[in-house]
Amino acid sequence: MRERWYIPMMKSTESAGERRRAPSAFDQRLAARREELEGLYLGLYQDGGAAFEQFLEMLRGAWKARKRPLRDMDKRREADPDWYRRRDLLGMMLYVDAFAGTLNGVVEKLPYLRECGVNYLHLMPLLESPKGRGDGGYAVSSFRTVQPELGTMEDLEALADGCRRGGVKLCLDFVMNHTSEEHEWAKRARAGEKAYQDRYFFYESREIPDQFEETVPQVFPTTAPGNFTELPDGKIVMTTFYPYQWDLNYANPAVFQDMTENLLFLANRGVDVIRLDAIPYIWKQLGTACRNLPQVHALTRMLRIACEVVCPGALLLGEVVMEPVKVAPYFGTTQRPECHLLYNVTTMATTWHTLATGDTALLRRQTEAMCGLPKDFVFLNYLRCHDDIGWGLDYPWLCQHFGVDEVGHKRYLNDWFTGKWQGSRSRGELYNDDPRLGDARLCGTTASLCGVESAETENDPFWMERAISLDLTLHAWMLSQSGIPVIYSGDEVGQLNDYTYHDDPDRQADSRYLHRGRFQWDLAALRGDPETRQGKLFQGLRRLLSLRAKEPCFDACAEVRAEDSGNSHVLAISRRQDGRELLCLYNFAPEFETAWPHRMGGYTELMYGTRYEALDQVELYPYGFAWLLKDTEK
Ligand code: GLC
């Protein structure tokens, strides 16, 4: 009898036990990746066996802390790995304080973002960072605290929840190359604690720093020369960016573990896209340029695995502002992917070069290079962002084909965009002018660089029309590139440069504040009036966006080709999808230009509805464009 009683008991205990033993989603994901992760980890941290076990425990803890709605989202996205590869994402990047004052203010402004069609929101750095020594939030003093003026971590989480419910993906920066000098670790290092000094590159004398300086270029040669900073007590610390941004030493496994934990903490707040700030710089080695070293790729791959195990719904966006060949490797390989997303920085810089030269050859070549990349690489396309425009162009090719000299060409571009060149209406300012290398970069908003500002101040309606046309053409070009378009906040209503930073002692040395001005809600309020320049731009952009959303040729998997337009001022791109063909023409000259696409069959221009029975020649408005859709056979 007793046994009889026991049998069902045993059975039920067994099945509960089995249920308990069933591997968790975390265990399953880890099991599939553990061997590779361990290999990479021990490759960087020899004798790191025990540290590796701790690392795994940290990952498990982060997974346990991940809340239900995020885990559900992870599952949905795991089942649909192409969720971010479609053409349904439109991004905007903005500063919380400039746009809405606080995080709660952003919640109130979500209807405006919806009106813009935005469903990917990049909030510029908002973690605690010392005023005046914060590099616009890129010197973080606490990775777990929101900058008090902007709100709290709870506000951030509430905003993330609201975004998730409203279908908006949230992107935040993860500033991982360095901490602020005011971060707890830096303070303890300064106080003499060896374990914290070892988290940075801390030296007693200039001997090793001087060896580094022989091979490491400078990021901010004017505003922050050199790569090291001497502290008041004579110690020397590595500071690749500003002197108050202390470089972290990722050769120390404690740094990697704690920073990965910080990254996962952000993901667990509900952040969808984590922007890996300055990722190429995170590994330093004597005798090298300390950029893009193989160890950087090993670390990025480990971060990717950490996310795939803990928060597979989150994406990594690499900030790789490097010469063209150095960028794509940050996607990794099909077998060993690294970042999900990268900025299309070369196309951005080449676009501005094309405007200043009026010659589309390099942009065509760059487009061909992009077309040659695997279609599952997703780029963020943009015209302007919070940073300067660096002239990272393909100089060897320009030199070979046009005899272009790099220094002279940069000077020309900078003169053009600062309005010094005759015929230029652009109003930019230089950034980090390095007279030795002639390497200045450039700042300014899209509208000011396009000539809207000068047309307005000079009250020149003729030029205003051209400038607006140019601004829309550049946006149309951005929207016709495969990937995720990202608008820089204010550009949708043609916001101009903000010169008030010249009077702010905390900002005046950094001309990037020229294009980081307050969002001007009073001017944005004019967006509904088609007679205003704000209205022309806003409504033009909305029309472009709705055309893009409807037309399958804009799909990421469309076949894209750079075409011969028969006119060096006109860039021609074709996109083919589902038996449809779209030909996009962009005129980079301030005069009427004719393109010669020589195509049979009827076409309709999507923006204005113009009909062409055959596309032999197409006349384009000064700085104008045409999106020509071929008639489909019925
Ligand atoms: C990135 C940011 C830039 C910042 C730098 C240092 O390049 O985009 O604004 O100055 O990192 O953190």
Side-chain angles (χ1 to χ4, degrees):
M1 279 297 282
R2 277 190 111 193
E3 271 181 9
R4 276 187 156 203
W5 276 105
Y6 271 103
I7 292 164
M9 290 267 298
M10 288 280 287
K11 260 195 166 169
S12 73
T13 331
E14 242 179 47
S15 56
E18 267 164 20
R19 243 181 282 130
R20 232 178 285 131
R21 276 198 305 273
S24 64
F26 174 85
D27 288 323
Q28 287 177 26
R29 295 179 193 136
L30 179 61
R33 297 162 177 86
R34 186 185 162 121
E35 202 183 313
E36 188 197 343
L37 184 59
E38 191 163 8
L40 287 165
Y41 192 95
L42 297 180
L44 287 187
Y45 309 119
Q46 292 83 19
D47 309 325
F52 181 65
E53 290 307 321
Q54 277 176 29
F55 184 74
L56 295 186
E57 271 323 292
M58 178 277 290
L59 294 184
R60 183 181 299 279
W63 175 76
K64 282 192 178 146
R66 191 152 173 86
K67 59 188 179 186
R68 184 90 263 158
L70 295 178
R71 288 192 190 183
D72 292 345
M73 183 196 71
D74 288 338
K75 272 201 210 130
R76 285 196 301 277
R77 292 185 179 168
E78 268 185 309
D80 177 21
D82 284 335
W83 69 270
Y84 61 97
R85 294 200 172 101
R86 309 207 171 90
R87 66 167 190 287
D88 56 355
L89 289 177
L90 172 68
M92 182 174 276
M93 52 191 297
L94 55 84
Y95 282 94
V96 170
D97 55 345
F99 180 72
T102 61
L103 285 167
N104 291 333
V106 175
V107 175
E108 283 165 31
K109 300 290 185 199
L110 285 176
Y112 172 76
L113 296 176
R114 220 170 291 129
E115 188 189 334
C116 296
V118 166
N119 58 3
Y120 166 116
L121 181 60
H122 178 182
L123 299 181
M124 300 307 293
L126 45 76
L127 297 179
E128 195 181 84
S129 157
K131 195 168 179 310
R133 288 174 80 77
D135 186 20
Y138 284 101
V140 177
S141 51
S142 163
F143 290 94
R144 307 282 174 111
T145 316
V146 168
Q147 185 71 22
E149 299 92 85
L150 304 179
T152 62
M153 204 38 95
E154 288 69 39
D155 295 340
L156 177 62
E157 207 158 337
L159 172 63
D161 290 345
C163 283
R164 196 165 50 257
R165 282 193 297 270
V168 176
K169 320 293 177 262
L170 186 61
C171 169
L172 280 196
D173 280 84
F174 182 55
V175 185
M176 63 179 300
N177 175 67
H178 42 257
T179 72
S180 148
E181 62 184 351
E182 293 305 318
H183 189 280
E184 165 83 13
W185 301 344
K187 286 184 186 163
R188 296 178 76 161
R190 248 194 326 264
E193 285 189 55
K194 173 91 173 66
Y196 288 91
Q197 294 182 348
D198 288 348
R199 291 185 171 220
Y200 299 95
F201 295 86
F202 230 78
Y203 301 100
E204 300 287 332
S205 78
R206 282 220 62 104
E207 192 189 332
I208 295 182
D210 285 345
Q211 289 174 31
F212 270 113
E213 292 290 18
E214 280 171 29
T215 53
V216 184
Q218 307 185 44
V219 179
F220 299 138
T222 317
T223 50
N227 288 287
F228 290 85
T229 297
E230 188 174 333
L231 303 178
D233 66 357
K235 300 250 182 354
I236 317 273
V237 65
M238 184 185 269
T239 54
T240 303
F241 293 86
Y242 282 105
Y244 49 78
Q245 291 166 316
W246 291 17
D247 287 66
L248 285 167
N249 185 355
Y250 279 86
N252 178 346
V255 167
F256 180 60
Q257 163 139 348
D258 289 352
M259 289 303 284
T260 307
E261 195 171 4
N262 285 332
L263 183 156
L264 296 171
F265 175 83
L266 276 188
N268 278 351
R269 307 281 71 72
V271 177
D272 299 277
V273 181
I274 296 171
R275 177 184 181 274
L276 302 176
D277 181 60
I279 184 84
Y281 298 80
I282 63 174
W283 192 273
K284 318 291 195 293
Q285 198 170 297
L286 266 182
T288 72
C290 295
R291 279 130 169 89
N292 309 302
L293 296 176
Q295 293 88 341
V296 172
H297 289 279
L299 288 166
T300 314
R301 175 74 189 133
M302 287 201 282
L303 290 177
R304 170 77 179 243
I305 294 176
C307 289
E308 285 178 352
V309 170
V310 174
C311 49
L315 303 179
L316 296 179
L317 158 63
E319 191 228 358
V320 183
V321 180
M322 291 282 148
E323 62 268 37
V325 289
K326 300 282 169 47
V327 178
Y330 283 86
F331 280 117
T333 60
T334 318
Q335 302 301 320
R336 303 179 138 218
E338 295 176 23
C339 295
H340 300 81
L341 306 167
L342 292 175
Y343 289 96
N344 194 350
V345 56
T346 311
T347 302
M348 181 278 294
T350 307
T351 298
W352 291 105
H353 147 96
T354 307
L355 174 58
T357 58
D359 189 289
T360 57
L362 185 64
L363 193 52
R364 180 173 173 189
R365 178 180 152 82
Q366 168 61 14
T367 305
E368 277 160 4
M370 294 300 294
C371 296
L373 295 174
K375 286 209 170 49
D376 56 353
F377 285 4
V378 183
F379 282 95
L380 295 195
N381 299 309
Y382 63 113
L383 295 172
R384 292 295 296 113
C385 71
H386 68 296
D387 277 332
D388 49 293
I389 304 172
W391 300 116
L393 307 174
D394 189 344
Y395 286 104
W397 190 84
L398 278 176
C399 177
Q400 194 189 338
H401 290 84
F402 295 89
V404 161
D405 147 67
E406 181 168 342
V407 173
H409 187 64
K410 284 181 179 169
R411 194 169 305 124
Y412 168 74
L413 293 173
N414 287 326
D415 283 351
W416 205 91
F417 285 110
T418 49
K420 289 203 190 105
W421 199 264
Q422 214 201 344
S424 158
R425 299 290 180 130
S426 207
R427 292 289 176 269
E429 284 184 1
L430 295 188
Y431 178 67
N432 267 281
D433 189 5
D434 185 348
R436 286 171 314 131
L437 302 175
D439 207 16
R441 286 118 74 174
L442 195 97
C443 295
T445 69
T446 303
S448 290
L449 295 180
C450 284
V452 175
E453 181 179 326
S454 55
E456 185 157 281
T457 43
E458 289 159 27
N459 202 4
D460 182 340
F462 176 80
W463 261 98
M464 180 59 91
E465 210 183 314
R466 280 197 176 14
I468 290 174
S469 171
L470 172 58
D471 195 319
L472 277 175
T473 292
L474 294 185
H475 278 94
W477 158 230
M478 170 181 86
L479 292 172
S480 63
Q481 296 163 36
S482 296
I484 304 177
V486 182
I487 297 171
Y488 187 57
S489 170
D491 277 2
E492 74 280 15
V493 284
Q495 192 155 310
L496 306 178
N497 290 341
D498 175 9
Y499 296 95
T500 60
Y501 85 95
H502 287 294
D503 307 319
D504 180 342
D506 287 342
R507 298 182 161 180
Q508 60 196 189
D510 192 334
S511 54
R512 291 175 300 176
Y513 286 101
L514 182 66
H515 51 254
R516 295 178 182 174
R518 244 163 226 289
F519 188 82
Q520 292 176 319
W521 286 101
D522 50 341
L523 294 181
L526 303 173
R527 67 188 180 278
D529 179 353
E531 295 306 313
T532 62
R533 64 174 181 81
Q534 288 80 6
K536 287 183 182 137
L537 281 171
F538 189 79
Q539 293 179 23
L541 189 58
R542 288 238 319 196
R543 172 122 180 90
L544 289 170
L545 291 169
S546 77
L547 291 171
R548 183 178 187 271
K550 269 186 258 150
E551 176 47 54
C553 285
F554 288 108
D555 263 15
C557 51
E559 193 202 317
V560 188
R561 249 192 258 154
E563 307 276 351
D564 187 0
S565 72
N567 179 331
S568 63
H569 301 301
V570 179
L571 180 75
I573 305 290
S574 66
R575 302 189 61 98
R576 290 186 182 77
Q577 172 76 3
D578 300 341
R580 300 164 74 86
E581 187 206 294
L582 181 75
L583 181 71
C584 308
L585 301 174
Y586 301 101
N587 178 10
F588 280 86
E591 287 94 34
F592 282 92
E593 293 291 337
T594 306
W596 307 90
H598 295 309
R599 278 172 151 76
M600 310 290 281
Y603 281 78
T604 304
E605 204 288 320
L606 296 179
M607 192 76 175
Y608 305 101
T610 318
R611 276 290 302 162
Y612 294 83
E613 289 318 320
L615 270 195
D616 196 28
Q617 64 178 79
V618 179
E619 194 173 23
L620 292 159
Y621 193 82
Y623 288 138
F625 74 97
W627 279 359
L628 296 148
L629 183 67
K630 188 172 183 171
D631 293 353
T632 42
E633 280 144 36
K634 304 262 157 52

